[in-house]
Amino acid sequence: MALLFVSSAERAAVWVSAFDAAGEKIIVGEEAVTDPAEITHLLCWTPPKDLQRYPNLRVVISAGAGVDQMPPLPEGVELVRAIDPGIEEMVRDWVVMATLMQHRAIPVYLARAQQGLWKPQPGRHAKNTRVGIMGMGRIGTLAAQTLGGMGFKVSGWSRSGRAVADVPVYGLQDLDVFLSQSDILICLLPLTTETRGILNADLFAKLPEGAALVHAGRGAQLDMQAMRDALDGGALSSAMLDVTNPEPLPADHWAWRDPRVIITPHIAAVTDHHAGSMHALEVIRATRDNRPLPGRVDQDRGY
Ligand code: NDP
Ligand code: OXD
């Protein structure tokens, strides 16, 4: 078995030493492939155009946790997402920071600071703030546990409504109830056919008046104009986005200059190359042993 590595040169050095230490074969870059038949695994953000060139390809491993950038794969080729506790903790940290910033009205104070305005406003205790998390997977669960531990009233929403320790989780049919109880709405959903455009006017209208939005899922889930209308109409009071629609956000986009919106350029998580290589090695061993692949994506479901 051999893994074809199609990613940045900066990552490659770490991966090559991890694979050498584990006695597994890694080939960096398509130009280095002499025998396409030996390639069984591929690591990439998006695959090279001609995957048919690799007749024994069995698994494509995404360089990121999200897999929405992947095209349909040839019949029989499995897709695996990156699994890296470091990514999950970093996104959790970003989400907790964004939640605290909105909870403590930091966008308001940043705007007042621009005017040199010393003007306090009443604050709110965490125990009186309801946080709703859309997407209770690996990252959503971690965020829920941390925010719950800080005293926020946390609930979740997921496709299955599967219970998570100490956190009430609503299923698909209970979206409206979930939204009506979300003073701060966090989106940590994968981008799929069902979740594209889910953060829209209809959804914002179901939130408590003046709710805040925290978005670290994928840009295409958000209707930016609907968000602006909701901010203008009072359904939303502020938003903090790590992902935008489009992405990158053009320099002249209104959202950069709106004091109610704080944007970071998709930096919530930074990939840890060592952790990525350890996960890929585990995927290779699982393939060899016919075990379930860690991080296997259901390609019909899209995550
Ligand atoms: P998981 O696959 O572990 O979890 C996905 C969650 O979303 C599950 O709870 C799933 O429900 C739920 N879900 C999926 N589809 C729907 C739907 N149609 N309706 C309701 N719930 C749905 O993903 P992760 O937690 O690891 O990551 C989530 C996303 O975060 C990634 O896909 C990526 O887009 C984004 N991300 C962003 C980063 C950044 O830097 N901003 C970095 C890393 C990830 P169920 O539990 O029922 O299956
Ligand atoms: C990811 C991301 O999916 O960085 O890993 O967004």
Side-chain angles (χ1 to χ4, degrees), residues 205-264:
K206 292 174 179 159
L207 293 169
E209 186 78 8
L213 174 67
V214 171
H215 187 25
R218 282 290 184 262
Q221 289 157 344
L222 174 63
D223 179 339
M224 300 275 290
Q225 185 54 47
M227 179 184 77
R228 187 184 205 176
D229 294 343
L231 287 163
D232 290 345
L236 287 176
S237 55
S238 58
M240 195 145 170
L241 316 175
D242 184 54
V243 290
T244 59
N245 189 6
E247 202 170 293
L249 198 64
D252 61 353
H253 197 278
W254 63 267
W256 285 119
R257 274 161 291 281
D258 190 319
R260 301 165 297 183
V261 183
I262 296 180
I263 296 167
T264 55

Coordinates of all heavy atoms in Angstrom, one line a residue, residues 205-264:
A205 N -35.8 34.7 11.6 CA -37.1 35.2 12.1 C -37.6 34.3 13.3 O -38.5 34.7 14.0 CB -38.2 35.2 11.0
K206 N -37.1 33.1 13.4 CA -37.5 32.2 14.5 C -36.7 32.3 15.7 O -37.0 31.6 16.7 CB -37.5 30.8 13.9 CG -38.6 30.5 12.9 CD -38.5 29.2 12.2 CE -39.6 29.0 11.2 NZ -39.3 28.0 10.2
L207 N -35.7 33.1 15.7 CA -34.8 33.3 16.9 C -35.4 34.3 17.8 O -36.2 35.1 17.4 CB -33.4 33.8 16.4 CG -32.6 32.8 15.6 CD1 -31.4 33.6 15.0 CD2 -32.1 31.7 16.5
P208 N -35.1 34.3 19.1 CA -35.5 35.4 20.0 C -35.0 36.7 19.4 O -33.9 36.8 18.9 CB -34.8 35.0 21.3 CG -34.4 33.6 21.2 CD -34.2 33.3 19.8
E209 N -35.8 37.7 19.6 CA -35.4 39.1 19.1 C -34.0 39.5 19.6 O -33.7 39.2 20.8 CB -36.5 40.1 19.7 CG -36.4 41.5 19.2 CD -36.9 41.7 17.8 OE1 -37.6 40.8 17.3 OE2 -36.7 42.8 17.3
G210 N -33.2 40.0 18.7 CA -31.9 40.4 19.1 C -30.9 39.3 19.3 O -29.9 39.5 20.0
A211 N -31.1 38.1 18.8 CA -30.2 37.0 19.0 C -28.8 37.3 18.3 O -28.7 38.2 17.5 CB -30.8 35.7 18.4
A212 N -27.8 36.5 18.7 CA -26.5 36.7 18.1 C -26.2 35.4 17.3 O -26.6 34.3 17.7 CB -25.5 36.9 19.2
L213 N -25.4 35.6 16.3 CA -25.0 34.5 15.4 C -23.5 34.2 15.5 O -22.7 35.2 15.5 CB -25.4 34.8 14.0 CG -24.9 33.7 12.9 CD1 -25.7 32.4 13.1 CD2 -25.2 34.3 11.5
V214 N -23.1 33.0 15.7 CA -21.7 32.5 15.7 C -21.6 31.5 14.6 O -22.3 30.4 14.7 CB -21.3 31.9 17.0 CG1 -19.9 31.3 16.9 CG2 -21.3 33.0 18.1
H215 N -20.8 31.7 13.5 CA -20.8 30.8 12.4 C -19.4 30.3 12.1 O -18.5 31.1 11.7 CB -21.4 31.5 11.2 CG -21.6 30.6 10.0 ND1 -21.7 29.2 10.2 CD2 -21.7 30.8 8.7 CE1 -21.9 28.6 9.0 NE2 -21.8 29.6 8.1
A216 N -19.2 29.0 12.3 CA -17.8 28.5 12.0 C -18.0 27.2 11.1 O -17.1 26.4 11.1 CB -17.1 28.2 13.3
G217 N -19.2 27.0 10.5 CA -19.4 25.8 9.7 C -18.8 26.0 8.3 O -17.6 25.9 8.1
R218 N -19.7 26.4 7.4 CA -19.2 26.7 6.0 C -19.9 27.9 5.5 O -21.1 28.1 5.8 CB -19.4 25.5 5.1 CG -18.4 24.4 5.2 CD -17.1 24.8 4.7 NE -16.1 23.7 4.7 CZ -15.2 23.5 5.7 NH1 -15.1 24.4 6.7 NH2 -14.3 22.5 5.6
G219 N -19.2 28.8 4.7 CA -19.8 30.0 4.2 C -21.1 29.8 3.5 O -22.1 30.6 3.7
A220 N -21.2 28.8 2.7 CA -22.4 28.6 1.8 C -23.6 28.3 2.6 O -24.7 28.2 2.0 CB -22.1 27.6 0.7
Q221 N -23.5 28.1 3.9 CA -24.7 27.9 4.7 C -25.4 29.2 5.0 O -26.5 29.2 5.5 CB -24.3 27.1 6.0 CG -23.9 25.7 5.8 CD -23.0 25.1 6.9 OE1 -22.5 25.9 7.7 NE2 -22.9 23.8 6.9
L222 N -24.7 30.3 4.8 CA -25.2 31.6 5.3 C -25.6 32.5 4.1 O -24.9 32.7 3.2 CB -24.1 32.3 6.1 CG -24.3 33.8 6.5 CD1 -25.5 33.8 7.4 CD2 -23.1 34.3 7.2
D223 N -26.8 33.0 4.2 CA -27.3 34.0 3.3 C -26.9 35.4 3.9 O -27.6 35.8 4.9 CB -28.8 33.9 3.1 CG -29.4 34.9 2.2 OD1 -28.8 36.0 2.0 OD2 -30.6 34.7 1.7
M224 N -25.9 36.0 3.4 CA -25.3 37.2 4.0 C -26.3 38.4 3.9 O -26.4 39.2 4.8 CB -24.0 37.6 3.3 CG -22.9 36.6 3.4 SD -21.9 36.6 4.9 CE -20.9 38.1 4.7
Q225 N -27.1 38.4 2.8 CA -28.0 39.5 2.7 C -29.2 39.4 3.7 O -29.6 40.3 4.4 CB -28.6 39.6 1.3 CG -29.5 40.8 1.0 CD -28.9 42.2 1.4 OE1 -27.7 42.5 1.0 NE2 -29.6 43.0 2.2
A226 N -29.6 38.1 3.9 CA -30.6 37.8 4.9 C -30.1 38.2 6.3 O -30.8 38.7 7.2 CB -31.1 36.4 4.9
M227 N -28.8 37.9 6.5 CA -28.2 38.3 7.8 C -28.2 39.8 8.0 O -28.6 40.3 9.1 CB -26.8 37.8 7.9 CG -26.1 38.1 9.2 SD -24.4 37.6 9.2 CE -23.6 38.8 8.2
R228 N -27.9 40.5 7.0 CA -27.9 42.0 7.0 C -29.3 42.5 7.3 O -29.5 43.4 8.2 CB -27.4 42.6 5.7 CG -27.2 44.1 5.8 CD -26.9 44.6 4.4 NE -26.1 45.9 4.6 CZ -25.6 46.5 3.5 NH1 -25.7 46.0 2.3 NH2 -25.0 47.7 3.7
D229 N -30.3 41.9 6.6 CA -31.7 42.3 6.9 C -32.1 42.0 8.3 O -32.8 42.8 8.9 CB -32.7 41.6 5.9 CG -32.4 42.0 4.4 OD1 -31.7 43.1 4.2 OD2 -32.8 41.3 3.5
A230 N -31.7 40.9 8.8 CA -32.0 40.5 10.2 C -31.4 41.5 11.2 O -31.9 41.8 12.2 CB -31.7 39.1 10.4
L231 N -30.2 41.9 10.9 CA -29.5 42.9 11.8 C -30.2 44.2 11.7 O -30.5 44.8 12.8 CB -28.0 43.1 11.3 CG -27.1 41.9 11.6 CD1 -25.8 42.0 10.8 CD2 -26.7 41.8 13.1
D232 N -30.6 44.6 10.5 CA -31.3 45.9 10.4 C -32.7 45.8 11.1 O -33.1 46.8 11.7 CB -31.5 46.3 8.9 CG -30.2 46.6 8.2 OD1 -29.2 46.9 9.0 OD2 -30.1 46.6 7.0
G233 N -33.3 44.7 10.9 CA -34.7 44.6 11.5 C -34.7 44.2 13.0 O -35.8 44.2 13.5
G234 N -33.6 43.9 13.5 CA -33.6 43.6 15.0 C -33.7 42.1 15.4 O -33.6 41.8 16.5
A235 N -33.9 41.3 14.4 CA -34.0 39.8 14.7 C -32.6 39.4 15.2 O -32.5 38.5 16.1 CB -34.4 39.0 13.4
L236 N -31.5 39.9 14.6 CA -30.2 39.7 15.1 C -29.6 41.0 15.6 O -29.9 42.1 15.1 CB -29.3 39.2 13.9 CG -29.5 37.8 13.4 CD1 -28.5 37.6 12.2 CD2 -29.2 36.7 14.4
S237 N -28.7 40.8 16.6 CA -28.0 42.0 17.1 C -26.6 42.1 16.7 O -26.0 43.2 16.5 CB -28.1 42.1 18.7 OG -27.5 40.9 19.2
S238 N -26.0 40.9 16.5 CA -24.6 40.9 16.0 C -24.3 39.5 15.5 O -25.0 38.5 15.7 CB -23.6 41.2 17.2 OG -23.8 40.3 18.2
A239 N -23.2 39.4 14.8 CA -22.8 38.1 14.2 C -21.2 38.1 14.2 O -20.6 39.1 14.0 CB -23.3 38.0 12.8
M240 N -20.8 36.9 14.5 CA -19.3 36.7 14.4 C -19.1 35.5 13.5 O -19.6 34.4 13.7 CB -18.8 36.4 15.8 CG -17.3 36.5 15.8 SD -16.6 37.2 17.3 CE -14.9 36.9 16.9
L241 N -18.3 35.7 12.4 CA -18.2 34.7 11.3 C -16.7 34.4 11.1 O -15.9 35.2 11.0 CB -18.7 35.3 10.0 CG -20.0 36.1 10.0 CD1 -20.3 36.7 8.6 CD2 -21.2 35.2 10.4
D242 N -16.5 33.1 11.1 CA -15.1 32.6 10.6 C -15.2 32.1 9.2 O -14.2 32.0 8.6 CB -14.7 31.4 11.5 CG -13.2 31.0 11.2 OD1 -12.4 31.9 11.2 OD2 -13.0 29.8 10.9
V243 N -16.4 31.9 8.7 CA -16.6 31.5 7.3 C -17.7 32.5 6.7 O -18.6 32.9 7.4 CB -17.1 30.0 7.3 CG1 -16.0 29.1 7.7 CG2 -18.3 29.8 8.1
T244 N -17.5 32.8 5.4 CA -18.3 33.8 4.8 C -18.8 33.3 3.4 O -18.3 32.3 2.9 CB -17.6 35.1 4.6 OG1 -16.4 34.9 3.8 CG2 -17.1 35.7 6.0
N245 N -19.7 34.0 2.9 CA -20.3 33.7 1.6 C -20.3 35.0 0.7 O -21.2 35.8 1.0 CB -21.7 33.1 1.8 CG -22.3 32.6 0.6 OD1 -21.6 32.4 -0.5 ND2 -23.6 32.2 0.6
P246 N -19.4 35.1 -0.2 CA -18.4 34.2 -0.7 C -17.2 34.2 0.2 O -17.0 35.0 1.1 CB -18.0 34.7 -2.1 CG -18.2 36.2 -2.0 CD -19.3 36.4 -1.0
E247 N -16.3 33.3 -0.1 CA -15.0 33.2 0.7 C -13.9 33.0 -0.3 O -14.0 32.1 -1.2 CB -15.1 31.9 1.6 CG -14.2 32.0 2.7 CD -14.5 30.9 3.7 OE1 -15.5 30.9 4.4 OE2 -13.6 30.0 3.8
P248 N -12.8 33.8 -0.3 CA -12.7 34.9 0.6 C -13.7 36.0 0.4 O -14.2 36.2 -0.7 CB -11.3 35.5 0.3 CG -10.7 34.6 -0.7 CD -11.7 33.7 -1.2
L249 N -14.0 36.8 1.4 CA -14.9 37.9 1.3 C -14.2 39.1 0.6 O -13.1 39.5 1.0 CB -15.4 38.3 2.7 CG -16.7 39.2 2.8 CD1 -17.9 38.4 2.3 CD2 -16.9 39.6 4.2
P250 N -14.8 39.6 -0.5 CA -14.1 40.7 -1.2 C -13.9 41.9 -0.3 O -14.7 42.2 0.6 CB -15.1 41.1 -2.4 CG -16.1 39.9 -2.5 CD -16.1 39.2 -1.1
A251 N -12.9 42.7 -0.6 CA -12.5 43.8 0.2 C -13.6 44.9 0.3 O -13.7 45.6 1.3 CB -11.2 44.5 -0.3
D252 N -14.4 45.0 -0.7 CA -15.4 46.0 -0.7 C -16.8 45.5 -0.2 O -17.8 46.2 -0.3 CB -15.6 46.6 -2.1 CG -16.1 45.6 -3.1 OD1 -16.1 44.4 -2.8 OD2 -16.3 45.9 -4.3
H253 N -16.8 44.3 0.4 CA -18.1 43.8 0.9 C -18.6 44.6 2.1 O -17.8 44.9 3.0 CB -17.9 42.3 1.3 CG -19.2 41.6 1.4 ND1 -19.9 41.6 2.6 CD2 -19.8 40.8 0.6 CE1 -21.0 40.9 2.4 NE2 -21.0 40.3 1.2
W254 N -19.9 44.8 2.2 CA -20.4 45.7 3.3 C -20.1 45.1 4.7 O -20.0 45.8 5.6 CB -22.0 45.8 3.1 CG -22.7 44.5 3.2 CD1 -23.0 43.6 2.2 CD2 -23.1 43.8 4.4 NE1 -23.6 42.5 2.7 CE2 -23.7 42.6 4.0 CE3 -23.1 44.1 5.8 CZ2 -24.2 41.7 4.9 CZ3 -23.6 43.2 6.7 CH2 -24.2 42.0 6.3
A255 N -20.0 43.7 4.8 CA -19.9 43.1 6.1 C -18.6 43.5 6.8 O -18.6 43.6 8.0 CB -20.0 41.6 6.0
W256 N -17.5 43.8 6.0 CA -16.3 44.2 6.6 C -16.5 45.5 7.4 O -15.8 45.7 8.4 CB -15.2 44.5 5.6 CG -14.6 43.2 4.9 CD1 -14.6 42.9 3.6 CD2 -13.8 42.2 5.6 NE1 -13.9 41.8 3.4 CE2 -13.4 41.3 4.6 CE3 -13.4 42.0 6.9 CZ2 -12.6 40.2 4.8 CZ3 -12.6 40.9 7.1 CH2 -12.2 40.0 6.1
R257 N -17.3 46.4 6.9 CA -17.5 47.7 7.6 C -18.7 47.8 8.5 O -18.9 48.9 9.0 CB -17.5 48.8 6.5 CG -16.1 49.2 6.0 CD -16.1 49.9 4.7 NE -16.4 49.0 3.7 CZ -15.5 48.1 3.2 NH1 -14.3 48.1 3.7 NH2 -15.8 47.3 2.2
D258 N -19.4 46.7 8.7 CA -20.6 46.8 9.6 C -20.1 46.5 11.0 O -19.6 45.4 11.3 CB -21.6 45.8 9.1 CG -23.0 45.9 9.8 OD1 -22.9 46.2 11.1 OD2 -24.0 45.8 9.2
P259 N -20.3 47.4 11.9 CA -19.7 47.2 13.3 C -20.4 46.0 14.0 O -19.9 45.5 15.0 CB -20.0 48.5 14.0 CG -21.0 49.2 13.2 CD -20.9 48.7 11.8
R260 N -21.6 45.6 13.5 CA -22.3 44.5 14.2 C -21.8 43.2 13.8 O -22.2 42.1 14.3 CB -23.8 44.6 13.8 CG -24.4 45.9 14.2 CD -25.8 46.1 13.5 NE -25.7 46.2 12.1 CZ -26.7 46.4 11.3 NH1 -27.9 46.6 11.7 NH2 -26.5 46.5 9.9
V261 N -20.9 43.2 12.8 CA -20.4 41.9 12.3 C -18.8 41.8 12.5 O -18.1 42.8 12.1 CB -20.6 41.8 10.7 CG1 -20.2 40.4 10.2 CG2 -22.1 42.0 10.5
I262 N -18.4 40.8 13.1 CA -16.9 40.6 13.2 C -16.5 39.3 12.4 O -17.2 38.3 12.6 CB -16.5 40.4 14.7 CG1 -16.9 41.7 15.5 CG2 -15.1 40.1 14.9 CD1 -16.6 41.7 17.0
I263 N -15.5 39.5 11.6 CA -15.1 38.5 10.7 C -13.7 38.0 10.9 O -12.8 38.9 11.0 CB -15.3 38.9 9.2 CG1 -16.8 39.3 9.0 CG2 -14.8 37.9 8.2 CD1 -17.0 40.0 7.7
T264 N -13.4 36.7 10.9 CA -12.1 36.2 10.9 C -12.0 35.4 9.6 O -13.0 34.8 9.2 CB -11.7 35.4 12.1 OG1 -12.6 34.4 12.3 CG2 -11.6 36.3 13.4

